[in-house]
mmCIF file of all heavy atoms in Angstrom:
data_model
loop_
_atom_site.group_PDB
_atom_site.id
_atom_site.type_symbol
_atom_site.label_atom_id
_atom_site.label_comp_id
_atom_site.label_asym_id
_atom_site.label_seq_id
_atom_site.Cartn_x
_atom_site.Cartn_y
_atom_site.Cartn_z
ATOM 1 N N ASP A 243 6.089 -17.229 -24.444
ATOM 2 C CA ASP A 243 5.708 -18.597 -24.918
ATOM 3 C C ASP A 243 4.553 -18.483 -25.892
ATOM 4 O O ASP A 243 4.409 -19.318 -26.887
ATOM 5 C CB ASP A 243 5.253 -19.519 -23.788
ATOM 6 C CG ASP A 243 6.368 -20.102 -22.959
ATOM 7 O OD1 ASP A 243 7.509 -19.901 -23.419
ATOM 8 O OD2 ASP A 243 6.180 -20.705 -21.951
ATOM 9 N N MET A 244 3.616 -17.484 -25.714
ATOM 10 C CA MET A 244 2.485 -17.488 -26.505
ATOM 11 C C MET A 244 2.275 -16.251 -27.474
ATOM 12 O O MET A 244 1.641 -16.326 -28.467
ATOM 13 C CB MET A 244 1.182 -17.469 -25.622
ATOM 14 C CG MET A 244 1.060 -18.731 -24.740
ATOM 15 S SD MET A 244 -0.339 -18.695 -23.692
ATOM 16 C CE MET A 244 -1.635 -19.109 -24.933
ATOM 17 N N PHE A 245 2.957 -15.213 -27.144
ATOM 18 C CA PHE A 245 2.895 -13.969 -27.899
ATOM 19 C C PHE A 245 4.274 -13.349 -27.983
ATOM 20 O O PHE A 245 5.252 -14.076 -28.054
ATOM 21 C CB PHE A 245 1.933 -13.011 -27.163
ATOM 22 C CG PHE A 245 0.594 -13.562 -26.821
ATOM 23 C CD1 PHE A 245 0.361 -14.018 -25.498
ATOM 24 C CD2 PHE A 245 -0.382 -13.725 -27.747
ATOM 25 C CE1 PHE A 245 -0.885 -14.610 -25.134
ATOM 26 C CE2 PHE A 245 -1.639 -14.289 -27.494
ATOM 27 C CZ PHE A 245 -1.826 -14.721 -26.181
ATOM 28 N N SER A 246 4.348 -12.033 -27.985
ATOM 29 C CA SER A 246 5.607 -11.351 -27.872
ATOM 30 C C SER A 246 5.360 -10.207 -26.925
ATOM 31 O O SER A 246 4.269 -9.657 -26.696
ATOM 32 C CB SER A 246 6.123 -10.869 -29.225
ATOM 33 O OG SER A 246 5.176 -9.946 -29.756
ATOM 34 N N MET A 247 6.374 -9.773 -26.192
ATOM 35 C CA MET A 247 6.385 -8.710 -25.238
ATOM 36 C C MET A 247 5.998 -7.393 -25.991
ATOM 37 O O MET A 247 6.558 -7.107 -27.036
ATOM 38 C CB MET A 247 7.604 -8.529 -24.506
ATOM 39 C CG MET A 247 7.965 -9.707 -23.551
ATOM 40 S SD MET A 247 7.145 -9.610 -21.978
ATOM 41 C CE MET A 247 8.175 -8.380 -21.223
ATOM 42 N N GLU A 248 5.007 -6.681 -25.464
ATOM 43 C CA GLU A 248 4.619 -5.350 -25.981
ATOM 44 C C GLU A 248 5.264 -4.281 -25.098
ATOM 45 O O GLU A 248 5.695 -4.580 -23.949
ATOM 46 C CB GLU A 248 3.076 -5.215 -25.997
ATOM 47 C CG GLU A 248 2.425 -6.220 -26.946
ATOM 48 C CD GLU A 248 0.965 -6.064 -26.935
ATOM 49 O OE1 GLU A 248 0.482 -4.929 -26.793
ATOM 50 O OE2 GLU A 248 0.255 -7.054 -27.250
ATOM 51 N N ALA A 249 5.320 -3.069 -25.577
ATOM 52 C CA ALA A 249 5.934 -1.974 -24.765
ATOM 53 C C ALA A 249 5.193 -1.810 -23.449
ATOM 54 O O ALA A 249 5.913 -1.671 -22.336
ATOM 55 C CB ALA A 249 5.818 -0.672 -25.572
ATOM 56 N N ALA A 250 3.927 -2.041 -23.394
ATOM 57 C CA ALA A 250 3.123 -1.922 -22.077
ATOM 58 C C ALA A 250 3.583 -3.013 -21.155
ATOM 59 O O ALA A 250 3.677 -2.742 -19.935
ATOM 60 C CB ALA A 250 1.685 -1.998 -22.342
ATOM 61 N N ASP A 251 3.859 -4.230 -21.596
ATOM 62 C CA ASP A 251 4.344 -5.300 -20.793
ATOM 63 C C ASP A 251 5.694 -4.995 -20.181
ATOM 64 O O ASP A 251 5.928 -5.026 -18.963
ATOM 65 C CB ASP A 251 4.496 -6.578 -21.612
ATOM 66 C CG ASP A 251 3.248 -7.102 -22.202
ATOM 67 O OD1 ASP A 251 2.182 -7.171 -21.461
ATOM 68 O OD2 ASP A 251 3.295 -7.554 -23.411
ATOM 69 N N THR A 252 6.648 -4.617 -21.118
ATOM 70 C CA THR A 252 8.036 -4.305 -20.644
ATOM 71 C C THR A 252 7.964 -3.215 -19.599
ATOM 72 O O THR A 252 8.690 -3.422 -18.596
ATOM 73 C CB THR A 252 8.856 -3.910 -21.805
ATOM 74 O OG1 THR A 252 8.803 -5.029 -22.816
ATOM 75 C CG2 THR A 252 10.318 -3.662 -21.432
ATOM 76 N N ALA A 253 7.305 -2.155 -19.784
ATOM 77 C CA ALA A 253 7.273 -1.041 -18.824
ATOM 78 C C ALA A 253 6.728 -1.551 -17.461
ATOM 79 O O ALA A 253 7.416 -1.299 -16.390
ATOM 80 C CB ALA A 253 6.385 0.072 -19.344
ATOM 81 N N MET A 254 5.658 -2.186 -17.462
ATOM 82 C CA MET A 254 5.062 -2.645 -16.149
ATOM 83 C C MET A 254 5.904 -3.692 -15.482
ATOM 84 O O MET A 254 6.047 -3.645 -14.286
ATOM 85 C CB MET A 254 3.586 -3.183 -16.376
ATOM 86 C CG MET A 254 2.885 -3.573 -15.083
ATOM 87 S SD MET A 254 1.345 -4.356 -15.311
ATOM 88 C CE MET A 254 0.400 -3.225 -16.368
ATOM 89 N N LEU A 255 6.363 -4.672 -16.275
ATOM 90 C CA LEU A 255 7.129 -5.758 -15.643
ATOM 91 C C LEU A 255 8.497 -5.308 -15.144
ATOM 92 O O LEU A 255 8.947 -5.945 -14.188
ATOM 93 C CB LEU A 255 7.153 -6.896 -16.617
ATOM 94 C CG LEU A 255 5.854 -7.498 -16.968
ATOM 95 C CD1 LEU A 255 6.111 -8.595 -18.078
ATOM 96 C CD2 LEU A 255 5.192 -8.092 -15.820
ATOM 97 N N THR A 256 9.138 -4.429 -15.708
ATOM 98 C CA THR A 256 10.470 -3.924 -15.323
ATOM 99 C C THR A 256 10.420 -2.904 -14.215
ATOM 100 O O THR A 256 11.409 -2.755 -13.510
ATOM 101 C CB THR A 256 11.349 -3.477 -16.463
ATOM 102 O OG1 THR A 256 10.669 -2.415 -17.097
ATOM 103 C CG2 THR A 256 11.545 -4.548 -17.506
ATOM 104 N N ASP A 257 9.319 -2.309 -14.044
ATOM 105 C CA ASP A 257 9.115 -1.279 -13.033
ATOM 106 C C ASP A 257 7.776 -1.310 -12.314
ATOM 107 O O ASP A 257 6.941 -0.441 -12.402
ATOM 108 C CB ASP A 257 9.400 0.155 -13.538
ATOM 109 C CG ASP A 257 9.602 1.159 -12.408
ATOM 110 O OD1 ASP A 257 9.403 0.902 -11.238
ATOM 111 O OD2 ASP A 257 9.802 2.318 -12.806
ATOM 112 N N PRO A 258 7.439 -2.471 -11.659
ATOM 113 C CA PRO A 258 6.080 -2.673 -11.163
ATOM 114 C C PRO A 258 5.749 -1.756 -10.096
ATOM 115 O O PRO A 258 4.553 -1.357 -9.898
ATOM 116 C CB PRO A 258 6.153 -4.167 -10.587
ATOM 117 C CG PRO A 258 7.577 -4.454 -10.380
ATOM 118 C CD PRO A 258 8.299 -3.669 -11.429
ATOM 119 N N TYR A 259 6.740 -1.172 -9.323
ATOM 120 C CA TYR A 259 6.383 -0.232 -8.255
ATOM 121 C C TYR A 259 5.785 1.069 -8.925
ATOM 122 O O TYR A 259 4.761 1.537 -8.539
ATOM 123 C CB TYR A 259 7.627 0.150 -7.417
ATOM 124 C CG TYR A 259 7.294 1.131 -6.392
ATOM 125 C CD1 TYR A 259 6.623 0.722 -5.166
ATOM 126 C CD2 TYR A 259 7.438 2.539 -6.575
ATOM 127 C CE1 TYR A 259 6.232 1.644 -4.210
ATOM 128 C CE2 TYR A 259 7.051 3.427 -5.570
ATOM 129 C CZ TYR A 259 6.389 2.998 -4.452
ATOM 130 O OH TYR A 259 6.013 3.982 -3.499
ATOM 131 N N HIS A 260 6.513 1.524 -9.897
ATOM 132 C CA HIS A 260 6.058 2.761 -10.612
ATOM 133 C C HIS A 260 4.718 2.613 -11.328
ATOM 134 O O HIS A 260 3.851 3.453 -11.319
ATOM 135 C CB HIS A 260 7.086 3.264 -11.613
ATOM 136 C CG HIS A 260 6.780 4.470 -12.288
ATOM 137 N ND1 HIS A 260 6.918 5.760 -11.796
ATOM 138 C CD2 HIS A 260 6.289 4.605 -13.567
ATOM 139 C CE1 HIS A 260 6.488 6.623 -12.683
ATOM 140 N NE2 HIS A 260 6.072 6.002 -13.775
ATOM 141 N N TYR A 261 4.522 1.422 -11.992
ATOM 142 C CA TYR A 261 3.384 1.274 -12.837
ATOM 143 C C TYR A 261 2.139 0.626 -12.180
ATOM 144 O O TYR A 261 1.036 0.846 -12.655
ATOM 145 C CB TYR A 261 3.759 0.429 -14.104
ATOM 146 C CG TYR A 261 4.530 1.333 -15.108
ATOM 147 C CD1 TYR A 261 5.906 1.233 -15.110
ATOM 148 C CD2 TYR A 261 3.855 2.141 -15.997
ATOM 149 C CE1 TYR A 261 6.649 1.950 -16.030
ATOM 150 C CE2 TYR A 261 4.593 2.847 -16.941
ATOM 151 C CZ TYR A 261 6.027 2.742 -16.875
ATOM 152 O OH TYR A 261 6.756 3.525 -17.833
ATOM 153 N N VAL A 262 2.426 -0.097 -11.118
ATOM 154 C CA VAL A 262 1.278 -0.747 -10.365
ATOM 155 C C VAL A 262 1.056 -0.286 -9.011
ATOM 156 O O VAL A 262 -0.041 0.204 -8.604
ATOM 157 C CB VAL A 262 1.473 -2.298 -10.438
ATOM 158 C CG1 VAL A 262 0.312 -2.971 -9.667
ATOM 159 C CG2 VAL A 262 1.655 -2.842 -11.792
ATOM 160 N N ILE A 263 2.071 -0.315 -8.153
ATOM 161 C CA ILE A 263 1.939 -0.053 -6.743
ATOM 162 C C ILE A 263 1.685 1.444 -6.483
ATOM 163 O O ILE A 263 0.752 1.764 -5.843
ATOM 164 C CB ILE A 263 3.207 -0.539 -5.952
ATOM 165 C CG1 ILE A 263 3.383 -2.036 -6.196
ATOM 166 C CG2 ILE A 263 3.024 -0.159 -4.463
ATOM 167 C CD1 ILE A 263 2.269 -2.925 -5.701
ATOM 168 N N LYS A 264 2.587 2.275 -6.990
ATOM 169 C CA LYS A 264 2.488 3.744 -6.704
ATOM 170 C C LYS A 264 1.109 4.323 -7.105
ATOM 171 O O LYS A 264 0.595 5.160 -6.391
ATOM 172 C CB LYS A 264 3.591 4.438 -7.369
ATOM 173 C CG LYS A 264 3.810 5.853 -6.962
ATOM 174 C CD LYS A 264 5.022 6.558 -7.621
ATOM 175 C CE LYS A 264 5.117 7.981 -7.221
ATOM 176 N NZ LYS A 264 6.189 8.721 -8.032
ATOM 177 N N PRO A 265 0.536 3.955 -8.246
ATOM 178 C CA PRO A 265 -0.784 4.526 -8.653
ATOM 179 C C PRO A 265 -2.003 3.917 -7.824
ATOM 180 O O PRO A 265 -3.147 4.315 -8.086
ATOM 181 C CB PRO A 265 -0.891 4.162 -10.074
ATOM 182 C CG PRO A 265 0.421 3.747 -10.553
ATOM 183 C CD PRO A 265 1.160 3.247 -9.406
ATOM 184 N N GLY A 266 -1.685 3.001 -6.887
ATOM 185 C CA GLY A 266 -2.776 2.504 -6.099
ATOM 186 C C GLY A 266 -3.105 1.032 -6.392
ATOM 187 O O GLY A 266 -4.150 0.466 -5.866
ATOM 188 N N GLY A 267 -2.308 0.337 -7.068
ATOM 189 C CA GLY A 267 -2.555 -1.104 -7.408
ATOM 190 C C GLY A 267 -1.929 -2.016 -6.405
ATOM 191 O O GLY A 267 -1.255 -1.558 -5.498
ATOM 192 N N LYS A 268 -2.058 -3.305 -6.653
ATOM 193 C CA LYS A 268 -1.501 -4.270 -5.762
ATOM 194 C C LYS A 268 -0.979 -5.407 -6.579
ATOM 195 O O LYS A 268 -1.387 -5.728 -7.688
ATOM 196 C CB LYS A 268 -2.612 -4.930 -4.788
ATOM 197 C CG LYS A 268 -3.454 -3.888 -4.083
ATOM 198 C CD LYS A 268 -2.917 -3.624 -2.748
ATOM 199 C CE LYS A 268 -3.766 -2.738 -1.968
ATOM 200 N NZ LYS A 268 -3.211 -2.298 -0.721
ATOM 201 N N ILE A 269 0.036 -6.096 -6.034
ATOM 202 C CA ILE A 269 0.619 -7.326 -6.583
ATOM 203 C C ILE A 269 0.812 -8.360 -5.508
ATOM 204 O O ILE A 269 1.281 -8.034 -4.476
ATOM 205 C CB ILE A 269 2.045 -6.966 -7.320
ATOM 206 C CG1 ILE A 269 1.898 -5.951 -8.392
ATOM 207 C CG2 ILE A 269 2.640 -8.290 -7.815
ATOM 208 C CD1 ILE A 269 3.243 -5.490 -8.897
ATOM 209 N N TRP A 270 0.533 -9.615 -5.924
ATOM 210 C CA TRP A 270 0.667 -10.746 -4.991
ATOM 211 C C TRP A 270 1.482 -11.828 -5.658
ATOM 212 O O TRP A 270 1.496 -11.934 -6.895
ATOM 213 C CB TRP A 270 -0.628 -11.348 -4.518
ATOM 214 C CG TRP A 270 -1.388 -10.400 -3.628
ATOM 215 C CD1 TRP A 270 -1.249 -10.215 -2.279
ATOM 216 C CD2 TRP A 270 -2.443 -9.407 -4.012
ATOM 217 N NE1 TRP A 270 -2.102 -9.266 -1.840
ATOM 218 C CE2 TRP A 270 -2.864 -8.786 -2.895
ATOM 219 C CE3 TRP A 270 -3.027 -9.163 -5.285
ATOM 220 C CZ2 TRP A 270 -3.838 -7.803 -2.891
ATOM 221 C CZ3 TRP A 270 -3.987 -8.150 -5.308
ATOM 222 C CH2 TRP A 270 -4.397 -7.526 -4.127
ATOM 223 N N PHE A 271 2.138 -12.612 -4.797
ATOM 224 C CA PHE A 271 2.896 -13.707 -5.332
ATOM 225 C C PHE A 271 2.447 -15.024 -4.625
ATOM 226 O O PHE A 271 2.060 -14.962 -3.453
ATOM 227 C CB PHE A 271 4.435 -13.514 -5.068
ATOM 228 C CG PHE A 271 4.921 -12.309 -5.688
ATOM 229 C CD1 PHE A 271 4.894 -11.033 -5.080
ATOM 230 C CD2 PHE A 271 5.448 -12.362 -7.015
ATOM 231 C CE1 PHE A 271 5.355 -9.901 -5.776
ATOM 232 C CE2 PHE A 271 5.921 -11.199 -7.615
ATOM 233 C CZ PHE A 271 5.836 -10.016 -6.985
ATOM 234 N N ALA A 272 2.483 -16.096 -5.344
ATOM 235 C CA ALA A 272 2.186 -17.418 -4.778
ATOM 236 C C ALA A 272 3.492 -18.144 -4.532
ATOM 237 O O ALA A 272 4.297 -18.323 -5.521
ATOM 238 C CB ALA A 272 1.260 -18.165 -5.730
ATOM 239 N N ARG A 273 3.670 -18.660 -3.298
ATOM 240 C CA ARG A 273 4.889 -19.377 -3.015
ATOM 241 C C ARG A 273 4.527 -20.797 -2.634
ATOM 242 O O ARG A 273 3.790 -21.073 -1.694
ATOM 243 C CB ARG A 273 5.633 -18.724 -1.825
ATOM 244 C CG ARG A 273 6.983 -19.471 -1.526
ATOM 245 C CD ARG A 273 7.874 -18.681 -0.633
ATOM 246 N NE ARG A 273 7.317 -18.293 0.645
ATOM 247 C CZ ARG A 273 7.768 -17.375 1.434
ATOM 248 N NH1 ARG A 273 8.856 -16.679 1.108
ATOM 249 N NH2 ARG A 273 7.206 -17.149 2.558
#
């Protein structure tokens, strides 16, 4: 909506386990 997807966005968003969780990060969702 505001920008365009960059390579870093695509990598992280399509494989969040590999790029965020596995290296020690966390993700939360609001329901």
Side-chain angles (χ1 to χ4, degrees):
D243 280 353
M244 299 182 78
F245 309 102
S246 59
M247 292 278 283
E248 297 181 27
D251 297 316
T252 302
M254 185 187 304
L255 295 175
T256 56
D257 192 357
Y259 180 81
H260 178 81
Y261 286 94
V262 180
I263 303 298
K264 190 175 178 188
K268 308 269 186 187
I269 300 172
W270 292 275
F271 299 89
R273 182 166 58 199

